[in-house]
Amino acid sequence: MEKFIDNLPAMDLMRSEKMTFVQLIIPVESAHRAISYLGELGLLQFRDLNADKSPFQRTFVNQVKRCAEMSRKLRFFRDQISKAGLLSSVHPVLQPDIDLEELEIQLAEHEHELIEMNSNSDRLQHSYNELLEFKIVLQKASGFLISSNSHAVSEERELDENIYSNDNYGDEVSLLEQDIRPGPSDQSGLRFVSGIICKSKALRFERMLFRATRGNMLFNHAPADEQIMDPLSTEMVEKTVFVVFFSGMQAKTKILKICEAFGANCYPVPEDITKQRQITREVSSRLAELETTLDAGIRHRNKALTSVGFHLAKWINMVRREKAVYDTLNMLNFDVTKKCLVGEGWCPIFAKPKIQEALQRATFDSSSQVGVIFHVMDTVDSPPTYFRTNRFTSAFQEIVDAYGVARYQEANPAVYTCITFPFLFAVMFGDWGHGICLLLGALVLIARESKLSVQKLGSFMEMLFGGRYVLLLMSLFSIYCGLIYNEFFSVPFHIFGGSAYKCRDAACSEAYTIGLIKYRDPYPFGVDPSWRGSRSELPFLNSLKMKMSILLGVVQMNLGILLSYFNARFFSSSLDIRYQFVPQMIFLNSLFGYLSLLVVIKWCTGSQADLYHVMIYMFLSPTDDLGENQLFWGQRPLQIILLLLALIAVPWMLFPKPFILRKLHTERFQGRAYGMLGTSEMDLEVEPDSARQHHEEFNFSEVFVHQMIHSIEFVLGAVSNTASYLRLWALSLAHSELSTVFYEKVLLLAWGYDSFIIRLIGLSVFAFATAFILLMMETLSAFLHALRLHWVEYQNKFYHGDGYKFKPFSFASITEDED
């Protein structure tokens, strides 16, 4: 048997790839190219030899800073392109390769040019907004001034006449920037301030003016005809034109301060209609000129951004790669005297020829006189775990890794999870109508795989797309289990022939009271459709699904213990086989394996024995006669033997292993505590195989307590884990009953009415409940319960999960990350 097992071919996913610890000695002139080629290969994980140094104490810190600065500039370009509504080219145009220094100069020039264009555009936009506001104020305020002209003295003016005769009036548009000097006749006359304010602030602004002037003012306002861009948020906002009439210089000072506090822009408006028209014409001409200038500036800016956008993707990729290369070079030791960099890391054994070929190519391409030295080293550290997965197996491997990464070379649960996980899900979700809906969703994701893989998806869609093949198998197994349960949206069908039962009379009046009679062979596949609606439907299905859950649980737990045997064989641990695997198999199968045997015998023979009574009295009264609960000859002595084996298996697991380990440790290092006469105390501590070091590592009490915890956990877990598999029965029953309720109490109830509207409402409610409750919530519930059964009940029998992932330096993984 052992020879047969040893001769079996190795499975790709069963064990992680064999790893080796290597050292690289790279000349300085070829270091950058060598690391770049290794990044393209993506099969070497570097160890940080400068972990004690801060990022600012490392050799290539200046290069990393330069790359970070270039990344900032590229992000700035990308933001500007997106704000402008332009699209950066996904497939960049061909451009001759440039080095980092040239790219840095180009990016600095582009950034300076873009910042200058943005600054000019902002200034022009600010001037445009002010002139537009001034034009609106002139148009609206003239109406207020004409209406109040009969109440005001013609000599009282707000503005000095010299201001309007100034040719440069257009540049002096804000009242707050002007020194208004009223004439002698203005000291006691009526004055006014006109301006514009955000519509949302107008009510509070008016209330504050009223309180500040104690009601001695007249506030007129009118909404602006068009929205104006807010210079801070760059959003179009609604504004209101206002004119405040007041008297006295003290009131004017208060009003101007309130205008400043509320962000209101004040503009001088002459009372003379002729001057108003003249200023309006001047403002309109200036607006037209500014609008033309702004359009030209935007076209020039968009042209510059478009030229940058053609190369943006390539530049971002190049800078990311350069930064990753220098970050990796900072993990290497720099030896100034030897002019070389020393690096260490892990790589799979199959990748050694590829790495050596890449290093030779780097030496040749960099015209280095000295080649890269690549050799294998010994280490006591545990290697990383690396599984080569494909599109199908990667999702199942992620499910396992979410619990814990496998220890180096230990058995990988994902090999069996590919089948057991979707199957246990389907046991809880079994309905071939719902399974077809899931299948259609999975097929859509797989059919659009090439398109969706390059798109940036949301968190939910990304998770759904990553598990598309898990969803495919879950749907296929759900269809299979649904055919066994004979449920299509909870409705049974005569797919595989007629029922084995018939009514007692033609009216079939006693079908749900007395029951049906069997008149031919059983239904060939799955549950007979006649069970639906019968008086014994629930007891029959409960019994079937409960016993089936126990059988599936015992089989999967036995698989887990069997995998612990293969782990022990692989690591040549005969102690684990004799004192862990054997007693665990005996204990589990003496109790729950025997229960599974009774279930199968009862199904085959059609016996009416009470299995609860059999299992309870197996412990309470093992020598009593079984009576009508006896299923086969010799059952009572077999039960006594199995009970004794289960009792013996507990101390078998607990005591021998710790004592044997202590004996082996004592024999191995007996006499080695005495060193040679020339051995100093320091040498003894430094020696890697010293007896002192190993004596400190071995602690008998710690080993014994650990073994005791493991034994107690297994004994109690055998009971609790078996009971935990009953969730398969509970969730399957819940899913079936929910489907029945929605079908009978919603769809059939609505279909009983002749009204088209009621039928449409009932169909809509049924479709909504099926989609959101049964296909989404129930799918998530069954998924989580299947996840728990694998993580806890199955994997705790053999899986340590205390390893760490192999994370090689690879450009492929770097480009997927955001800056």
Side-chain angles (χ1 to χ4, degrees):
M1 182 65 182
E2 291 184 1
K3 290 182 179 180
F4 173 75
I5 293 174
D6 293 335
N7 292 330
L8 287 174
M11 298 174 66
D12 287 341
L13 265 181
M14 191 63 186
R15 306 280 173 191
S16 60
E17 294 292 335
K18 292 183 179 179
M19 310 295 289
T20 181
F21 189 71
V22 296
Q23 186 182 54
L24 291 82
I25 302 175
I26 313 172
V28 174
E29 59 270 17
S30 60
H32 184 278
R33 197 178 295 271
I35 298 299
S36 298
Y37 288 174
L38 290 176
E40 291 173 359
L41 190 62
L43 288 172
L44 181 62
Q45 174 180 325
F46 286 93
R47 174 190 282 182
D48 191 357
L49 301 178
N50 300 312
D52 55 335
K53 294 182 180 180
S54 70
F56 299 102
Q57 294 175 327
R58 305 203 178 199
T59 308
F60 299 95
V61 61
N62 291 328
Q63 287 84 345
V64 173
K65 286 180 180 178
R66 287 168 59 192
C67 292
E69 178 64 17
M70 285 189 283
S71 296
R72 182 196 63 78
K73 293 174 182 176
L74 290 168
R75 287 196 300 272
F76 170 69
F77 295 148
R78 187 171 58 191
D79 293 341
Q80 291 295 313
I81 289 172
S82 62
K83 282 182 182 179
L86 303 174
L87 294 175
S88 58
S89 177
V90 180
H91 305 288
V93 297
L94 294 176
Q95 182 193 26
D97 292 335
I98 58 174
D99 57 15
L100 201 63
E101 287 74 15
E102 292 178 8
L103 179 61
E104 190 174 16
I105 295 170
Q106 284 191 25
L107 293 180
E109 291 174 354
H110 285 303
E111 185 189 31
H112 178 71
E113 180 185 7
L114 196 56
I115 289 174
E116 190 173 351
M117 284 191 289
N118 286 342
S119 177
N120 293 335
S121 178
D122 290 342
R123 283 198 298 269
L124 289 172
Q125 187 67 46
H126 184 70
S127 300
Y128 180 83
N129 286 345
E130 283 193 340
L131 286 172
L132 184 60
E133 288 181 351
F134 190 20
K135 180 182 176 182
I136 296 172
V137 170
L138 283 170
Q139 293 171 351
K140 295 291 182 180
S142 59
F144 301 140
L145 294 177
I146 291 171
S147 63
S148 63
N149 196 29
S150 58
H151 305 286
V153 183
S154 59
E155 292 85 8
E156 294 173 359
R157 299 183 182 275
E158 183 63 27
L159 304 169
D160 196 353
E161 297 290 338
N162 294 328
I163 294 178
Y164 305 115
S165 61
N166 192 349
D167 295 333
N168 298 325
Y169 172 76
D171 297 329
E172 300 171 359
V173 291
S174 178
L175 181 65
L176 299 180
E177 297 174 359
Q178 300 176 16
D179 184 16
I180 300 176
R181 301 181 301 278
S185 61
D186 295 333
Q187 295 298 327
S188 60
L190 187 65
R191 306 168 183 273
F192 69 89
V193 171
S194 57
I196 193 167
I197 191 173
C198 289
K199 189 176 181 181
S200 58
K201 299 179 182 178
L203 188 62
R204 288 179 291 138
F205 178 63
E206 182 182 1
R207 191 180 298 126
M208 182 60 71
L209 288 174
F210 184 84
R211 291 174 180 173
T213 59
R214 300 187 180 183
N216 296 320
M217 65 94 191
L218 178 64
F219 185 83
N220 289 329
H221 62 91
D225 294 333
E226 53 185 307
Q227 293 183 338
I228 300 172
M229 182 183 291
D230 187 1
L232 297 178
S233 64
T234 67
E235 294 179 357
M236 303 302 289
V237 294
E238 294 183 355
K239 292 203 171 186
T240 299
V241 178
F242 65 88
V243 176
V244 184
F245 295 95
F246 60 91
S247 178
M249 288 298 296
Q250 190 175 4
K252 175 183 177 181
T253 306
K254 290 181 180 178
I255 290 169
L256 291 179
K257 286 183 178 179
I258 293 171
C259 289
E260 185 179 359
F262 276 83
N265 297 326
C266 299
Y267 298 98
V269 179
E271 294 184 32
D272 192 350
I273 297 176
T274 305
K275 291 183 178 179
Q276 285 179 10
R277 291 173 180 171
Q278 180 185 351
I279 293 172
T280 303
R281 285 194 298 270
E282 292 176 3
V283 170
S284 298
S285 64
R286 282 289 307 277
L287 279 173
E289 293 173 4
L290 276 178
E291 194 168 351
T292 306
T293 308
L294 276 171
D295 290 342
I298 290 173
R299 284 197 301 270
H300 179 61
R301 180 171 172 272
N302 288 347
K303 185 178 178 181
L305 287 174
T306 304
S307 66
V308 171
F310 282 138
H311 311 290
L312 188 63
K314 181 178 180 180
W315 288 347
I316 290 175
N317 190 34
M318 179 181 174
V319 171
R320 281 176 178 169
R321 287 182 171 222
E322 289 292 326
K323 187 175 183 297
V325 167
Y326 285 117
D327 283 335
T328 305
L329 285 171
N330 277 332
M331 298 169 71
L332 277 57
N333 271 337
F334 190 69
D335 192 339
V336 181
T337 57
K338 295 181 181 178
K339 299 290 184 182
C340 64
L341 288 163
V342 180
E344 297 175 357
W346 294 98
C347 73
I349 289 180
F350 74 85
K352 282 171 60 180
K354 298 179 182 178
I355 294 174
Q356 288 173 334
E357 189 271 333
L359 295 175
Q360 289 173 3
R361 189 156 43 92
T363 303
F364 178 77
D365 291 346
S366 57
S367 302
S368 175
Q369 300 296 323
V370 182
V372 180
I373 300 174
F374 176 83
H375 63 97
V376 178
M377 292 178 62
D378 293 330
T379 179
V380 295
D381 295 339
S382 177
T385 302
Y386 174 50
F387 294 104
R388 281 191 281 181
T389 57
N390 52 33
R391 289 178 299 179
F392 178 79
T393 56
S394 59
F396 294 100
Q397 189 63 54
E398 286 295 327
I399 289 174
V400 173
D401 290 345
Y403 174 80
V405 179
R407 182 182 290 183
Y408 178 64
Q409 290 271 286
E410 79 167 321
N412 183 17
V415 176
Y416 303 97
T417 301
C418 292
I419 300 300
T420 58
F421 182 84
F423 179 73
L424 291 186
F425 168 87
V427 170
M428 295 179 274
F429 192 77
D431 187 304
W432 62 281
H434 297 151
I436 288 174
C437 295
L438 290 183
L439 179 62
L440 293 175
L443 291 177
V444 168
L445 291 174
I446 293 172
R448 302 184 62 190
E449 183 175 335
S450 56
K451 292 182 180 178
L452 293 174
S453 58
V454 297
Q455 293 179 6
K456 191 170 184 180
L457 306 172
S459 57
F460 177 75
M461 272 303 297
E462 187 176 359
M463 179 182 65
L464 204 62
F465 177 70
R468 58 195 179 280
Y469 290 105
V470 180
L471 191 63
L472 175 68
L473 285 188
M474 285 176 2
S475 61
L476 292 176
F477 279 117
S478 295
I479 294 173
Y480 171 74
C481 289
L483 290 172
I484 291 180
Y485 298 156
N486 203 345
E487 291 186 5
F488 178 82
F489 295 102
S490 79
V491 181
F493 282 88
H494 295 78
I495 302 174
F496 303 101
S499 172
Y501 300 89
K502 66 178 182 179
C503 296
R504 297 175 182 271
D505 53 6
C508 213
S509 57
E510 299 176 344
Y512 302 116
T513 54
I514 301 176
L516 305 172
I517 57 172
K518 186 175 181 180
Y519 73 101
R520 64 177 183 181
D521 292 336
Y523 194 68
F525 184 85
V527 176
D528 195 306
S530 295
W531 285 105
R532 171 68 64 185
S534 64
R535 65 187 181 89
S536 55
E537 175 194 6
L538 209 55
F540 168 74
L541 291 177
N542 277 346
S543 176
L544 170 69
K545 293 180 178 180
M546 180 173 62
K547 292 181 173 65
M548 184 182 65
S549 301
I550 296 295
L551 290 176
L552 292 174
V554 171
V555 168
Q556 191 174 30
M557 287 191 292
N558 272 292
L559 174 62
I561 299 174
L562 194 62
L563 286 174
S564 72
Y565 165 77
F566 287 107
N567 268 341
R569 273 190 60 82
F570 183 83
F571 294 112
S572 302
S573 176
S574 59
L575 280 179
D576 286 338
I577 296 175
R578 295 172 187 169
Y579 305 108
Q580 192 161 304
F581 164 72
V582 174
Q584 284 181 357
M585 287 293 286
I586 291 174
F587 183 84
L588 181 67
N589 291 293
S590 295
L591 302 179
F592 301 104
Y594 173 64
L595 173 61
S596 303
L597 176 66
L598 294 181
V599 168
V600 174
I601 293 175
K602 183 177 179 181
W603 276 348
C604 294
T605 59
S607 171
Q608 298 296 317
D610 185 2
L611 298 186
Y612 295 111
H613 184 277
V614 173
M615 292 304 296
I616 290 172
Y617 282 92
M618 178 180 173
F619 292 93
L620 297 180
S621 304
T623 58
D624 287 358
D625 188 22
L626 294 172
E628 61 181 9
N629 290 322
Q630 183 165 335
L631 287 166
F632 56 91
W633 180 85
Q635 184 177 352
R636 187 175 64 177
L638 177 63
Q639 287 186 176
I640 296 172
I641 294 171
L642 292 176
L643 186 61
L644 291 175
L645 286 175
L647 293 175
I648 293 171
V650 177
W652 190 352
M653 274 187 284
L654 177 59
F655 294 110
K657 186 177 175 181
F659 288 98
I660 293 173
L661 283 174
R662 184 175 69 172
K663 180 183 177 184
L664 291 174
H665 180 79
T666 306
E667 291 176 353
R668 182 180 177 186
F669 297 102
Q670 188 174 10
R672 290 188 60 179
Y674 301 98
M676 296 177 63
L677 291 175
T679 304
S680 64
E681 188 74 21
M682 185 176 293
D683 292 337
L684 188 61
E685 292 178 358
V686 172
E687 184 187 353
D689 291 330
S690 66
R692 173 171 298 186
Q693 184 181 6
H694 283 276
H695 273 295
E696 288 176 357
E697 288 178 0
F698 187 82
N699 188 332
F700 174 74
S701 59
E702 184 179 341
V703 172
F704 186 81
V705 169
H706 180 270
Q707 187 67 23
M708 182 173 64
I709 292 172
H710 184 77
S711 302
I712 295 173
E713 182 185 12
F714 179 82
V715 171
L716 298 179
V719 180
S720 64
N721 292 350
T722 306
S724 183
Y725 276 94
L726 292 174
R727 72 184 68 237
L728 298 173
W729 157 49
L731 265 79
S732 175
L733 178 66
H735 185 84
S736 176
E737 292 302 313
L738 268 176
S739 302
T740 305
V741 167
F742 290 138
Y743 175 72
E744 293 181 354
K745 303 301 181 185
V746 177
L747 189 62
L748 290 185
L749 189 65
W751 228 251
Y753 293 90
D754 291 334
S755 173
F756 174 76
I757 296 176
I758 294 178
R759 289 185 176 184
L760 185 62
I761 293 173
L763 185 62
S764 302
V765 173
F766 177 75
F768 178 83
T770 300
F772 288 95
I773 297 179
L774 295 176
L775 290 180
M776 290 184 68
M777 294 177 62
E778 281 286 309
T779 300
L780 181 62
S781 174
F783 183 91
L784 293 176
H785 282 282
L787 201 62
R788 183 240 151 78
L789 289 176
H790 280 77
W791 281 358
V792 179
E793 278 72 25
Y794 168 53
Q795 291 179 190
N796 71 352
K797 302 292 185 294
F798 68 98
Y799 189 61
H800 292 94
D802 55 358
Y804 63 101
K805 268 189 177 181
F806 175 60
K807 295 181 179 178
F809 170 60
S810 172
F811 289 147
S813 59
I814 291 170
T815 53
E816 294 172 1
D817 300 334
E818 290 294 331
D819 291 327

